[in-house]
């Protein structure tokens, strides 16, 4: 018997959501609790896409709303991020094996349910994301947690024209960080492959509710660039949003071969 999944896709920005919305059938649009929502169908997956806004509070609130209102079998965060891993260029992708809060006392946070210092994407969904990225022509490269010799790894990929992805760490910050010392600490302490402003909060809420989670982030820039400068090259942001969206669409289309269970 076929399984039909209700999947929630959360994005911070409209341009991150549009590559997913544009392939849905039978869409209906609404606005609730300060978010924009689109429901529709993609293959066997019944999908709700939410534009929740930027920042941890917005992401956490939107994730909880989606869980309460739509009871999804899984929640996927799709969007753009700044690269911290030197192997990842604009358009390349991080599948979030783990997600961590920056500027937060994680020991204190971990005293409460779900009692975690960091948060994780669901193993089955991560494996499915890696599979579809390989099918789309991406080549897997080491995460910062997987290599101590990043310079050699960079040299080995200098003439590699393939798109790349890694299964790595997404660092979630309240800041758009540009300070080299702050960014280097994120690489050194947390092995952060990219930095953004929502993922760990959405993953935290999903862990608290025992809802399988997946984060897919495409690189729109290298961390260290000022936010005002990023806004001057919209084409890179568009490319990143399209690549993340294409990966998530492929995951949604392939869900008929994946088993998703609440923990």
């Amino acid at each position: 018997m076929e399984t039909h999944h209700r999947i929630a896709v959360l994005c911070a920005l409209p341009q991150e959501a549009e590559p997913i919305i544009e392939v849905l059938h039978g869409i209906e649009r609404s606005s609730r609790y300060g978010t924009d929502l689109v429901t529709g169908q993609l293959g066997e997956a019944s999908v709700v896409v939410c534009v929740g806004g930027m920042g941890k509070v917005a992401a956490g609130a939107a994730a909880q709303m989606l869980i309460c209102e739509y009871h999804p079998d899984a929640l996927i965060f799709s969007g753009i991020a700044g690269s911290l891993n030197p192997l990842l260029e604009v358009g390349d992708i991080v599948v979030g094996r783990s997600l961590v809060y920056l500027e937060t006392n994680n020991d204190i946070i971990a005293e409460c349910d779900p009692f975690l210092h960091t948060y994780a994407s669901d193993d089955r969904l991560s494996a499915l994301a890696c599979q579809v990225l390989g099918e789309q022509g991406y080549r897997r490269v080491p995460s910062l947690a997987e290599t101590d010799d990043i310079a050699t790894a960079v040299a080995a990929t200098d003439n590699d024209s393939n798109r790349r992805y890694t299964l790595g760490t997404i660092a979630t910050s309240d800041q758009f960080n540009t300070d080299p010392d702050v960014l280097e600490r994120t690489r050194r302490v947390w092995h952060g492959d990219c930095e953004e402003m929502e993922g760990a909060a959405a993953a935290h809420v999903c862990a608290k509710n025992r809802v399988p989670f997946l984060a897919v982030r495409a690189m729109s820039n290298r961390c260290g660039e000022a936010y005002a400068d990023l806004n001057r090259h919209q084409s890179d942001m568009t490319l990143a949003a399209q690549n993340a969206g294409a990966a998530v669409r492929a995951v949604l289309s392939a869900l008929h071969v994946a088993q998703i269970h609440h923990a």
Side-chain angles (χ1 to χ4, degrees):
M1 185 173 69
E2 293 184 347
T3 300
H4 294 264
H5 302 290
R6 165 73 78 179
I7 307 299
V9 180
L10 177 57
C11 303
L13 302 170
Q15 71 191 92
E16 297 169 328
E18 196 53 41
I20 300 160
I21 295 170
E22 67 187 14
V23 299
L24 299 181
H25 301 287
I27 68 170
E28 295 183 6
R29 297 179 182 268
S30 60
S31 296
R32 301 192 70 182
Y33 306 108
T35 70
D36 292 326
L37 297 155
V38 176
T39 58
Q41 197 77 20
L42 180 60
E44 294 180 14
S46 181
V47 182
V48 54
V49 182
C50 175
V51 179
M54 290 191 286
K56 293 190 293 191
V57 172
Q64 188 64 63
M65 180 274 294
L66 286 167
I67 291 167
C68 289
E69 296 287 328
Y70 293 93
H71 310 288
D73 291 308
L75 188 148
I76 302 173
F77 203 111
S78 179
I80 65 176
S83 174
L84 289 164
N85 185 330
L87 296 171
L88 300 176
E89 304 289 345
V90 169
D92 292 341
I93 287 178
V94 176
V95 177
R97 181 201 299 272
S98 65
L99 299 95
V100 60
Y101 289 123
L102 304 180
E103 308 111 10
T104 302
N105 190 320
N106 290 291
D107 289 335
I108 293 176
I109 298 297
E111 292 179 8
C112 301
D113 189 287
F115 309 107
L116 298 171
H117 291 80
T118 63
Y119 308 91
S121 288
D122 177 79
D123 287 341
R124 294 183 184 90
L125 291 175
S126 295
L128 184 57
C130 292
Q131 175 188 320
V132 301
L133 286 168
E135 292 168 354
Q136 289 178 346
Y138 287 81
R139 187 172 73 81
R140 183 167 174 171
V141 297
S143 68
L144 292 184
E146 293 172 328
T147 180
D148 293 323
D149 191 359
I150 197 68
T152 299
V154 170
T157 59
D158 274 346
N159 296 317
D160 182 2
S161 61
N162 289 339
R163 293 177 295 181
R164 306 166 192 173
Y165 81 93
T166 196
L167 180 62
T169 300
I170 295 173
T172 299
S173 177
D174 280 320
Q175 309 292 327
F176 191 93
N177 288 310
T178 58
D179 186 324
D181 292 337
V182 171
L183 299 176
E184 183 54 35
R185 185 176 187 277
T186 302
R187 294 185 186 95
R188 176 173 47 82
V189 174
W190 297 109
H191 304 295
D193 293 289
C194 67
E195 184 181 281
E196 39 86 290
M197 300 180 72
E198 297 88 22
H204 186 168
V205 169
C206 285
K208 198 172 182 68
N209 287 273
R210 281 50 173 180
V211 173
F213 175 81
L214 173 68
V216 177
R217 289 286 192 175
M219 304 303 99
S220 59
N221 62 294
R222 285 195 178 277
C223 286
E225 182 179 19
Y227 186 68
D229 293 334
L230 174 63
N231 281 328
R232 293 192 184 101
H233 44 92
Q234 291 288 326
S235 60
D236 288 343
M237 297 174 67
T238 299
L239 172 66
Q242 290 285 345
N243 286 359
V248 170
R249 292 198 309 258
V251 169
L252 294 172
S253 295
L255 279 173
H256 67 283
V257 298
Q259 293 185 355
I260 303 171
H261 301 288
H262 291 268

